């Protein structure tokens, strides 16, 4: 697999406490580990890891499963396996539970003889417990180990199916696979479980091409709620597939449906694909397929209805601005875009010039069906900030209660409201202007 440079930062959403509650030493220890592993300073890396785990376990877990896993895959013969073996000797039961699966994966990459490979398969069966383990990422490493065993012709189809079905049983036991909770940590866990389920079902389909497996791979592929928590499955996709641009299997199933003349199902799935990722090419494919089926309703009306259906009822609130009022107690009749930001938020500040450009261009377009507003939360010297930067888009300082009504859990949050009055959130770290353009067909 080609080396992939993964720069996805540790999001605060992944850490259950705010920055001020994380011990400062934890940051220094976290930042030091990568170089210690790379340089073979194993003893120091082990001591630093134990300290980091005692100070703040989430940082240790994140660094092991993201940075170390990447280093192991790119250079398995360096010092990662040696580090893991020495860390296991510390006999910290909680740490050992976290690192046992990644250690077994590292052994599978090095194993060459039949006896060792057979032992790894036996160990893999033993660590797959009766429920998934988010902290140890056992199901991720079981898939990576299967890849290694398959490459080395060290596993038969029946054994592969056994592991894959166990993975599925464990992952599907997570209670929020289908339900959606607004809590960020639950959202991350849901996204992680669903992506691995999608991958596992697709793996099973490659062995036994039953439609039900391909459909499940499609069904569990990241939806818009999962995309809000992309960091939860980014490394899974990178390590398992080497592809950090495509994260699911919906297109594969859609082609299967189209080839079998199941046009209504194929159209519905194309809508879902375009909704989750409204790229120009996805919207074009959807439009062409829709028009090929010769429905009477214009595509723009059909798409607007679909977007509305996928949203949630907008909170019935009135937000006052300097020269107007945003009244959401009535149907908007236009598309409404709301950007939620704060002067304290550096990613927000970086995007504001683009927001100003969008607002200026939209205001000069007399035929625009989009209205743009912003919410500020926790800002200081807001008026001076707006004046100093010559920002003219509407801004209103809102409280936590308003943010909660719109399910704001991170910043910046981008909200789009349909003309009929349902709202959706645009995921983080995407080309949000393309989302707006293609959701609204502007």
């Amino acid at each position: 697999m080609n080396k992939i440079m993964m720069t996805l930062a540790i999001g605060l959403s992944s850490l259950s406490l705010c920055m001020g509650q994380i011990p400062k030493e934890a940051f220094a220890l976290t930042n030091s580990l990568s170089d210690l592993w790379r340089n073979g300073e194993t003893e120091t890396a082990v001591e630093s890891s134990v300290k980091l785990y005692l100070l703040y376990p989430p940082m240790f877990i994140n660094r092991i499963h993201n940075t170390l896993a990447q280093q192991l895959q790119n250079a398995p013969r360096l010092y990662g396996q040696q580090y893991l073996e020495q860390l296991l000797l510390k006999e910290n039961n909680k740490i050992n539970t976290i690192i046992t699966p990644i250690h077994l994966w590292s052994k599978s990459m090095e194993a060459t003889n039949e006896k060792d490979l057979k032992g790894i398969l036996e160990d893999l069966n033993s660590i797959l417990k009766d429920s998934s383990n988010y902290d140890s990422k056992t199901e991720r490493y079981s898939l990576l180990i299967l890849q290694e065993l398959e490459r080395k012709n060290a596993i038969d189809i029946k054994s592969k199916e056994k592991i894959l079905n166990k993975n599925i049983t464990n992952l599907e036991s997570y209670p929020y696979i289908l339900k959606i909770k607004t809590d960020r940590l639950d959202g991350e866990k849901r996204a992680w479980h669903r992506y691995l389920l999608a991958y596992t079902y697709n793996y099973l389909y490659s062995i036994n091409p039953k439609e039900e497996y391909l459909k499940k791979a499609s069904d569990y592929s990241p939806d818009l709620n999962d995309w809000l928590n992309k960091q939860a499955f980014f490394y899974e996709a990178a390590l398992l597939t080497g592809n950090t641009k495509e994260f699911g299997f919906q297109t594969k199933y859609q082609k299967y449906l189209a080839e079998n003349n199941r046009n209504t199902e194929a159209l519905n799935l194309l809508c879902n694909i375009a909704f989750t990722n409204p790229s120009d090419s996805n919207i074009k494919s959807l439009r062409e397929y829709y028009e090929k089926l010769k429905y009477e309703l214009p595509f723009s009306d059909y798409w607007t209805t679909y977007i509305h259906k996928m949203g949630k009822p907008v909170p019935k609130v009135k937000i006052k601005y300097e020269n107007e009022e945003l009244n959401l107690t009535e149907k908007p009749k236009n598309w409404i875009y709301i950007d939620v930001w704060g002067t304290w938020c550096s990613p927000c500040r970086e995007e504001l010039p683009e927001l100003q450009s969008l607002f200026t261009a939209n205001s000069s377009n007399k035929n625009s069906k989009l209205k743009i507003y912003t919410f500020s939360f926790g800002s200081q010297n807001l008026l001076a900030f707006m004046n100093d930067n010559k920002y003219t888009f509407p801004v209103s300082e809102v409280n936590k209660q308003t943010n909660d009504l719109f399910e704001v859990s991170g910043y910046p949050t981008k909200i789009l409201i349909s003309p009929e009055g349902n709202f959706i959130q645009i995921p983080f770290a995407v080309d949000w202007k393309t989302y707006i353009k293609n959701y609204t067909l502007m």
Side-chain angles (χ1 to χ4, degrees):
M1 184 178 294
N2 292 332
K3 183 174 181 180
I4 296 174
M5 298 305 295
M6 291 176 268
T7 58
L8 195 68
I10 300 175
L12 285 181
S13 58
S14 303
L15 309 177
S16 58
L17 302 176
C18 72
M19 290 281 285
Q21 295 172 295
I22 301 173
K24 290 183 179 179
E25 188 181 356
F27 290 97
L29 290 168
T30 298
N31 293 333
S32 72
L33 282 177
S34 182
D35 287 337
L36 293 174
W37 291 328
R38 188 179 296 108
N39 297 330
E41 299 178 58
T42 303
E43 185 175 340
T44 304
V46 168
E47 296 301 326
S48 296
S49 297
V50 173
K51 287 181 184 178
L52 177 60
Y53 180 79
L54 294 175
L55 280 171
Y56 196 63
M59 279 188 166
F60 168 78
I61 291 168
N62 187 290
R63 190 60 91 186
I64 288 288
H65 296 314
N66 296 343
T67 306
L68 181 61
Q70 181 185 356
Q71 288 186 1
L72 281 169
Q73 190 172 68
N74 292 331
R77 286 184 171 80
L78 285 180
Y79 306 103
Q81 186 178 343
Q82 180 183 340
Y83 155 81
L84 289 167
E85 288 171 351
Q86 290 195 22
L87 187 54
L88 284 167
L89 292 176
K90 290 293 182 179
E91 297 184 350
N92 181 309
N93 290 336
K94 291 182 178 179
I95 289 178
N96 286 3
T97 297
I98 291 166
I99 68 173
T100 292
I102 189 175
H103 176 244
L104 186 60
W105 174 49
S106 73
K107 287 174 63 178
S108 76
M109 288 189 279
E110 291 294 293
T112 55
N113 66 66
E114 183 179 349
K115 181 181 177 181
D116 288 345
L117 290 166
K118 184 178 179 181
I120 286 167
L121 180 57
E122 291 173 354
D123 289 343
L124 175 56
N125 278 296
S126 71
I127 67 171
L128 277 169
K129 306 299 183 183
D130 293 332
S131 61
S132 64
N133 193 317
Y134 185 66
D135 287 344
S136 71
K137 307 278 191 257
T138 304
E139 286 68 30
R140 173 214 276 185
Y141 294 112
S142 74
L143 294 167
L144 288 166
I145 292 169
L146 280 188
Q147 288 182 352
E148 286 296 323
L149 296 177
E150 190 171 25
R151 272 195 285 268
K152 296 171 181 177
N153 296 315
I155 188 169
D156 56 42
I157 290 178
K158 184 177 179 181
S159 297
K160 278 191 283 189
E161 288 183 325
K162 179 181 177 182
I163 296 293
L164 293 172
N165 281 311
K166 182 59 177 172
N167 246 24
I168 288 168
T169 300
N170 289 359
L171 292 164
E172 286 187 338
S173 70
Y174 182 68
Y176 300 109
I177 288 295
L178 299 177
K179 298 176 184 177
I180 297 172
K181 291 187 71 176
T182 57
D183 179 82
R184 176 52 63 85
L185 183 56
D186 282 319
E188 289 182 357
K189 287 183 177 180
R190 177 184 188 269
W192 181 81
H193 281 80
R194 283 170 55 85
Y195 176 80
L196 285 179
L197 270 171
Y199 183 91
T200 303
Y201 270 114
N202 184 66
Y203 201 150
L204 199 54
Y205 178 76
S206 71
I207 299 171
N208 185 359
K210 293 182 179 179
E211 183 193 342
E212 63 183 282
Y213 297 152
L214 185 56
K215 183 179 186 303
K216 285 284 190 178
S218 173
D219 290 345
Y220 285 128
S221 292
D223 59 19
L224 195 64
N225 291 282
D226 297 331
W227 274 87
L228 293 170
N229 298 283
K230 176 183 174 183
Q231 71 280 1
F233 56 85
F234 179 89
Y235 287 94
E236 266 58 36
L239 292 166
L240 287 165
T241 72
N243 187 343
T244 55
K245 294 183 179 179
E246 297 179 15
F247 294 96
F249 306 94
Q250 292 175 312
T251 299
K252 186 174 180 179
Y253 185 47
Q254 194 276 332
K255 290 179 180 178
Y256 173 93
L257 293 171
E259 288 169 358
N260 287 275
N261 297 315
R262 292 160 61 178
N263 293 325
T264 300
E265 293 172 84
L267 177 63
N268 289 337
L269 189 49
L270 264 181
C271 281
N272 192 275
I273 292 168
F275 176 73
T276 303
N277 178 19
S279 65
D280 291 345
S281 60
N282 282 344
I283 293 296
K284 180 182 177 182
S285 296
L286 173 60
R287 183 191 293 271
E288 289 176 350
Y289 199 82
Y290 179 83
E291 291 176 347
K292 184 180 76 172
L293 297 179
K294 298 182 179 179
Y295 287 101
E296 292 184 6
L297 189 68
F299 174 73
S300 59
D301 293 343
Y302 171 81
W303 182 233
T304 298
T305 300
Y306 184 87
I307 296 293
H308 174 74
K309 181 182 72 173
M310 297 300 288
K312 301 176 182 179
V314 72
K316 304 299 183 183
V317 296
K318 296 180 180 180
I319 307 295
K320 291 185 177 180
Y321 290 84
E322 184 177 1
N323 298 316
E324 59 183 310
E325 181 180 71
L326 173 59
N327 183 3
L328 296 177
T329 64
E330 302 173 351
K331 285 185 179 180
K333 298 181 181 179
N334 291 296
W335 291 96
I336 294 175
Y337 171 67
I338 299 173
D339 199 294
V340 188
W341 61 282
T343 57
W344 49 270
C345 166
S346 56
C348 304
R349 295 196 305 271
E350 289 174 7
E351 291 183 352
L352 290 180
E354 291 184 82
L355 177 61
Q356 177 63 44
S357 296
L358 176 65
F359 175 76
T360 301
N362 188 69
S363 299
S364 63
N365 181 1
K366 296 180 180 179
N367 297 319
S368 175
K369 297 179 181 179
L370 178 71
K371 292 191 174 183
I372 297 173
Y373 297 90
T374 74
F375 293 168
S376 165
F377 179 73
S379 294
Q380 295 184 357
N381 303 317
L382 179 59
L383 182 58
F385 177 84
M386 294 289 290
N387 290 335
D388 290 346
N389 290 282
K390 297 181 172 57
Y391 294 143
T392 59
F393 48 79
V395 59
S396 179
E397 183 71 18
V398 297
N399 55 26
K400 184 178 183 300
Q401 181 181 6
T402 301
N403 274 359
D404 289 345
L405 289 173
F406 286 93
E407 301 178 3
V408 174
S409 58
Y411 299 87
T413 288
K414 301 178 184 304
I415 297 164
L416 189 66
I417 301 173
S418 75
E420 290 296 309
N422 279 2
F423 80 98
I424 57 176
Q425 282 192 22
I426 295 173
F428 299 101
V430 298
D431 182 357
W432 52 275
K433 289 181 291 186
T434 295
Y435 273 66
I436 295 170
K437 179 189 74 172
N438 286 336
Y439 277 154
T440 63
L441 297 180
M442 289 179 59

